[in-house]
């Protein structure tokens, strides 16, 4: 009965893990949440750019003939109608289920036009005409725009649901011709719109108002359509270098709340030949974390799978190995320096130069927990002796290296190290899988974690053995109080920073674990060579890693925008970048795409 139950449990576990793997093919590993202040910033920028695009606004000429009793037909014309300025006193933005609503209210505007009229009457046999210039002050103007946003083919689609412009009042000042007479008369007799004598001037006032309202509405709709076209041309990947690019396609429809806009991005690194790395990765936690009370415009949540996808890409590209023939202490690359550390080496190869082949055996595993993050790197260092023209490998040392970009102390359980060595000896992946389940249950019981990660553990249990080995090492980081007393503390330090729009960092190493993988020069104690290996790591391995980390990788920020006053937070499996934004006004908003 027990074997049957165990078999059923394994079948259900495999099924659950496979379902989780399929479901995660369409999920986002980077989430960007634009807060209320961020939306207000975007709204102000859009309003400012909309005004710039409207000014100056030239309208079509207006001609009209009106019959006035006793006078006859009066032909009137308004030409060179130009909207010269708009001043918006207040504006609001409100996201919701129906879309994003932007309202500019209490606005004023200034217009000008050339006016003229002419008429003849049976009372006066000659034609009477006059012309001049008019200035219009618009008061109480309100403009409203409702937009919807959806995902389309990995990009964003913007559509105008509603748009309108309304002018409450127009104040007209006449200039030129006999305007001094008209204006004086108008100041004494109101309402001016209904006085017969001046109907020839104001008959087209309503036409001007309607024309301006329609023109502003049309311009705003055209601007939104242009913005939609540009959104759909957003790059679907951001190149980091010749090897890797960041996949920035959108994977879900935007989520609108009453105070924020959330965008989910695939966020995994891909190679130059578009080989995706997500088959090696599993999303560990829900994204879209807040900035814990900080009033920032933007928060970008990055699942640890983002960093691990980069690790996989560079590992698959064969870039995580180094053949070392020069170091600051060059004498260490001669067997004479190892005479008393590894006697057999010097005895077989006296005073011969050496090479070091340092290679990662699997992609470094990046992990993130609350207020801590780092990486586990499994590194093999093969010692090669130069004997004439021959290159002879004589020994290989395996290292478990733990790096962290935050000041912390981490624990490595001797139980985990024993498991690592056991799995390395060639036991089947099923043994590894079952052992991981048991170990996960032990850690989960003591950790008090509310979020269940069984699907992730089960999925990882189905991976190849090297990834299982790394999981054993990382599991011990979740609960330190429950580990055996003979654990070894590893002290590491470093920093994570924002450089422009890049996430950069630097790591340091204080300790590591060594084991002899094989040797043709006899067995030797790892403690004897630990100091020398530390020199190699600090002078070769870490400088290369930090060179790459200082360059960083680009966050998905639109060109023209720059992060400002950014803070970095970490929680379970997620890094959160909380930041304000500034925009380079010398760059056209549309060219930012």
């Amino acid at each position: 009965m027990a074997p049957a139950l165990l078999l059923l449990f394994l079948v259900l576990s495999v099924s659950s893990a496979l379902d989780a793997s399929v479901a995660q093919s369409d999920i986002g590993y980077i989430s960007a949440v634009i807060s209320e202040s961020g939306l207000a910033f975007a709204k102000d920028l859009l309003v400012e750019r909309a005004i710039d695009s409207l000014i100056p606004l030239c309208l079509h000429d207006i001609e009209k003939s009106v019959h006035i009793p006793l006078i006859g037909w009066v032909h009137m014309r308004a030409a060179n109608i130009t909207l010269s300025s708009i001043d918006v006193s207040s504006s609001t933005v409100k996201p919701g289920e129906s879309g994003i609503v932007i309202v500019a209210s209490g606005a004023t505007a200034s217009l000008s036009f050339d006016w003229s009229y002419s008429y003849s009457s049976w009372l006066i046999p000659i034609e009477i005409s006059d012309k001049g210039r008019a200035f219009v002050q618009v008061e109480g103007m309100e403009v409203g725009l409702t937009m919807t946003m959806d995902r389309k083919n990995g990009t964003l689609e913007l559509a105008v649901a509603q748009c309108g412009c309304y002018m409450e009042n127009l104040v007209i000042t006449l200039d030129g011709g006999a305007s001094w007479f008209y204006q004086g008369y108008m100041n004494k007799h109101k309402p001016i719109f209904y006085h017969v004598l001046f109907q020839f001037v104001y008959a087209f006032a309503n036409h001007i108002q309607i024309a301006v309202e329609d023109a502003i509405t049309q311009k705003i709709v055209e601007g939104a359509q242009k913005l939609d076209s540009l959104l759909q041309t957003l790059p679907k990947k951001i190149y980091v270098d010749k090897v890797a690019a960041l996949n920035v396609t959108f994977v879900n429809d935007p989520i609108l709340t009453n105070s924020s806009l959330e965008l989910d991005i695939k966020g995994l690194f891909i190679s130059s030949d578009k080989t995706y790395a997500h088959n090696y990765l599993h999303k560990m936690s829900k994204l879209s974390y807040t900035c814990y009370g900080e009033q920032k415009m933007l928060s970008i949540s990055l699942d640890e799978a983002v960093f691990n996808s980069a690790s996989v890409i560079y590992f698959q590209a064969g870039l995580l190995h180094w053949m070392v023939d020069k170091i600051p202490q060059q004498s260490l690359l001669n067997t004479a320096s190892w005479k008393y550390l590894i006697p057999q080496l010097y005895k077989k190869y006296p005073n011969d130069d050496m090479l070091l082949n340092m290679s990662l055996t699997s992609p470094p595993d990046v992990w993130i927990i609350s207020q801590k993050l780092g990486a586990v790197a499994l590194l093999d260092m093969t010692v090669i002796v130069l004997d004439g023209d021959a290159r002879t490998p004589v020994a290989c040392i395996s290292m478990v290296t733990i790096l962290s970009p935050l000041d912390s102390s981490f624990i490595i359980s001797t139980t985990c190290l024993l498991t690592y060595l056991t799995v390395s000896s060639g036991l089947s992946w099923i043994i590894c899988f079952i052992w991981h389940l048991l170990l996960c249950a032990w850690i989960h019981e003591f950790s008090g974690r509310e979020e269940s990660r069984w699907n992730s553990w089960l999925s990882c249990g189905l991976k190849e053995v090297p990834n299982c080995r790394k999981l054993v090492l990382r599991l011990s980081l979740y609960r330190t109080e429950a580990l055996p007393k003979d654990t070894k503390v590893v002290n590491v330090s470093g920093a994570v920073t924002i450089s422009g729009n890049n996430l950069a960092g630097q790591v340091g190493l204080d300790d590591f674990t060594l084991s002899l993988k094989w040797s043709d020069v006899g067995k030797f104690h790892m403690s004897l060579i630990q100091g020398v290996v530390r020199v190699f790591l600090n002078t070769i391995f870490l400088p290369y890693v930090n060179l790459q980390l200082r360059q960083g990788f680009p966050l998905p920020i639109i060109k023209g925008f720059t992060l400002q006053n950014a803070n970095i937070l970490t929680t379970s499996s997620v890094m959160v970048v909380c930041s304000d934004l500034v925009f380079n006004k010398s760059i056209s908003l549309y060219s930012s795409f």
Side-chain angles (χ1 to χ4, degrees):
M1 185 66 179
L5 289 176
L6 178 60
L7 178 61
L8 177 62
F9 174 72
L10 287 175
V11 171
L12 292 175
S13 300
V14 171
S15 175
S16 174
L18 291 176
D19 290 343
S21 178
V22 172
Q24 292 185 58
S25 62
D26 293 329
I27 63 176
Y29 293 86
I30 295 180
S31 174
V33 177
I34 305 174
S35 67
E36 191 171 5
S37 61
L39 290 172
F41 172 78
K43 174 262 302 177
D44 291 339
L45 183 60
L46 287 174
V47 170
E48 181 182 345
R49 290 300 186 268
I51 293 175
D52 291 342
S53 66
L54 285 171
I55 304 302
L57 177 61
C58 297
L59 306 178
H60 296 296
D61 295 349
I62 299 175
E63 296 189 21
K64 188 173 181 63
S65 295
V66 178
H67 185 269
I68 299 176
L70 301 178
I71 295 179
W73 288 96
V74 179
H75 180 71
M76 297 168 290
R77 185 171 186 265
N80 299 323
I81 305 172
T82 304
L83 178 66
S84 56
S85 68
I86 297 178
D87 182 30
V88 177
S89 60
S90 65
S91 59
T92 60
V93 58
K94 189 67 176 177
E97 293 183 359
S98 60
I100 302 175
V101 180
I102 299 176
V103 176
S105 57
T108 60
S110 298
L111 297 95
S112 62
F113 63 90
D114 296 327
W115 61 267
S116 64
Y117 73 87
S118 63
Y119 71 92
S120 59
S121 172
W122 61 272
L123 294 175
I124 305 175
I126 62 174
E127 183 180 77
I128 298 175
S129 64
D130 199 1
K131 63 181 180 179
R133 188 136 180 95
F135 301 94
V136 183
Q137 184 68 24
V138 178
E139 298 176 349
M141 183 170 70
E142 183 173 299
V143 180
L145 173 66
T146 301
M147 297 180 293
T148 59
M149 186 178 292
D150 300 293
R151 178 178 66 97
K152 180 180 179 181
N153 299 326
T155 60
L156 295 178
E157 182 180 46
L158 193 67
V160 176
Q162 291 182 335
C163 184
C165 175
Y166 169 73
M167 297 180 178
E168 182 179 346
N169 187 32
L170 276 72
V171 178
I172 301 177
T173 302
L174 301 178
D175 188 25
S179 60
W180 57 273
F181 172 75
Y182 307 143
Q183 202 70 47
Y185 189 90
M186 287 188 296
N187 289 337
K188 297 178 181 178
H189 300 274
K190 297 182 179 181
I192 58 177
F193 281 102
Y194 301 101
H195 198 283
V196 174
L197 183 60
F198 300 99
Q199 188 175 359
F200 63 88
V201 177
Y202 289 99
F204 47 75
N206 286 337
H207 292 276
I208 293 177
Q209 179 175 343
I210 294 172
V212 173
E213 290 174 346
D214 290 345
I216 290 177
T217 300
Q218 182 179 354
K219 279 287 187 179
I220 291 176
V221 171
E222 290 175 356
Q225 292 172 344
K226 186 175 182 180
L227 184 59
D228 169 58
S229 299
L230 292 170
L231 282 175
Q232 294 185 42
T233 62
L234 283 173
K236 294 186 178 181
K237 58 182 177 180
I238 302 175
Y239 285 97
V240 178
D241 49 34
K242 295 181 180 180
V243 176
L246 184 64
N247 182 358
V248 290
T249 56
F250 294 91
V251 294
N252 295 309
D253 287 336
I255 300 175
L256 291 169
T257 69
N258 58 2
S259 61
S260 65
L261 167 64
E262 178 181 341
L263 303 170
D264 292 335
I265 301 170
K266 189 64 178 179
L268 296 181
F269 284 86
I270 59 177
S271 64
S272 57
D273 58 0
K274 299 182 180 181
T275 301
Y276 288 80
H278 63 261
N279 291 333
Y280 298 82
L281 307 165
H282 298 273
K283 188 175 181 180
M284 305 296 289
S285 183
K286 182 181 179 181
L287 293 183
S288 68
Y289 283 83
T290 64
C291 291
Y292 301 98
E294 293 190 66
Q295 299 300 317
K296 297 293 186 179
M297 297 179 184
L298 176 68
S299 65
I300 303 176
S301 303
L302 301 96
D303 190 271
E304 63 184 25
V306 175
F307 307 97
N308 283 318
S309 66
S311 173
V312 170
I313 292 300
Y314 286 103
F315 179 80
Q316 291 177 338
L319 298 179
L320 301 185
H321 70 272
W322 307 268
M323 189 67 73
V324 181
D325 59 357
K326 295 183 183 298
I327 59 173
Q329 299 181 20
Q330 190 65 26
S331 61
L332 293 177
L333 291 181
N334 189 282
T335 57
S337 297
W338 301 74
K339 181 176 182 180
Y340 301 105
L341 299 177
I342 310 176
Q344 289 293 327
L345 174 63
Y346 181 75
K347 184 176 180 180
K348 293 182 65 174
Y349 306 98
N351 295 316
D352 283 338
D353 291 330
M354 301 186 305
L355 296 177
L356 299 179
N357 183 359
M358 304 184 71
S359 301
L360 271 71
T361 58
S362 62
D365 182 45
V366 179
W367 44 260
I368 303 175
I369 58 178
S370 180
Q371 300 181 356
K372 300 175 183 177
L373 68 160
V376 177
L378 305 181
L379 182 70
D380 278 358
M381 184 178 72
T382 303
V383 180
I384 302 173
V385 174
L386 300 178
D387 187 10
D389 295 332
R391 295 187 175 189
T392 307
V394 295
C396 180
I397 300 169
S398 293
M399 287 175 274
V400 180
T401 308
I402 299 184
L403 312 172
S404 173
L406 293 181
D407 293 339
S408 309
S409 292
F410 292 102
I411 307 292
I412 293 186
S413 169
T414 55
T415 303
C416 289
L417 291 178
L418 178 61
T419 305
Y420 160 68
L421 295 175
T422 302
V423 174
S424 298
S425 65
L427 293 181
S428 69
W429 68 269
I430 298 179
I431 300 298
C432 171
F433 174 68
I434 296 175
W435 171 247
H436 290 165
L437 291 180
L438 296 175
L439 184 59
C440 175
W442 170 65
I443 293 174
H444 188 83
E445 177 183 357
F446 285 95
S447 65
R449 297 175 60 83
E450 296 180 358
E451 179 185 1
S452 176
R453 292 186 171 185
W454 282 107
N455 281 340
S456 297
W457 305 133
L458 295 174
S459 300
C460 188
L462 297 175
K463 296 179 184 179
E464 61 274 329
V465 170
N467 285 331
C468 291
R469 296 186 329 210
K470 292 188 297 181
L471 175 61
V472 175
L473 292 174
R474 72 185 298 177
L475 284 176
S476 65
L477 301 174
Y478 283 106
R479 185 65 178 174
T480 60
E481 294 89 340
L483 294 177
K485 294 182 180 180
D486 57 347
T487 56
K488 183 177 181 180
V489 178
V490 180
N491 298 313
V492 291
S493 61
V496 177
T497 60
I498 295 293
S499 176
N501 289 337
N502 280 21
L503 184 64
Q506 185 174 356
V507 296
L509 170 71
D510 291 334
D511 210 346
F512 50 91
T513 301
L514 299 176
S515 64
L516 183 61
K517 193 169 185 179
W518 59 267
S519 173
D520 289 339
V521 289
K523 294 185 177 180
F524 47 91
H525 294 290
M526 294 298 99
S527 58
L528 297 178
I529 66 169
Q530 187 167 358
V532 178
V533 173
R534 182 182 296 275
V535 172
F536 292 151
L537 292 176
N538 285 327
T539 58
I540 302 169
F541 178 68
L542 286 183
Y544 178 83
V545 171
N546 284 326
L547 177 63
Q548 306 304 317
L549 292 178
R550 280 194 294 270
Q551 296 175 357
F553 69 87
L555 294 171
I557 305 295
I558 294 176
K559 179 184 176 183
F561 292 88
T562 305
L563 299 177
Q564 185 180 59
N565 301 323
N567 295 326
I568 298 175
L569 309 173
T570 59
T571 183
S572 177
S573 303
V574 176
M575 176 186 293
V576 185
V577 178
C578 301
S579 180
D580 291 327
L581 292 168
V582 293
F583 181 72
N584 186 352
K585 294 186 178 181
S586 64
I587 299 177
S588 169
L589 179 62
Y590 296 135
S591 68
S592 299
F593 297 86

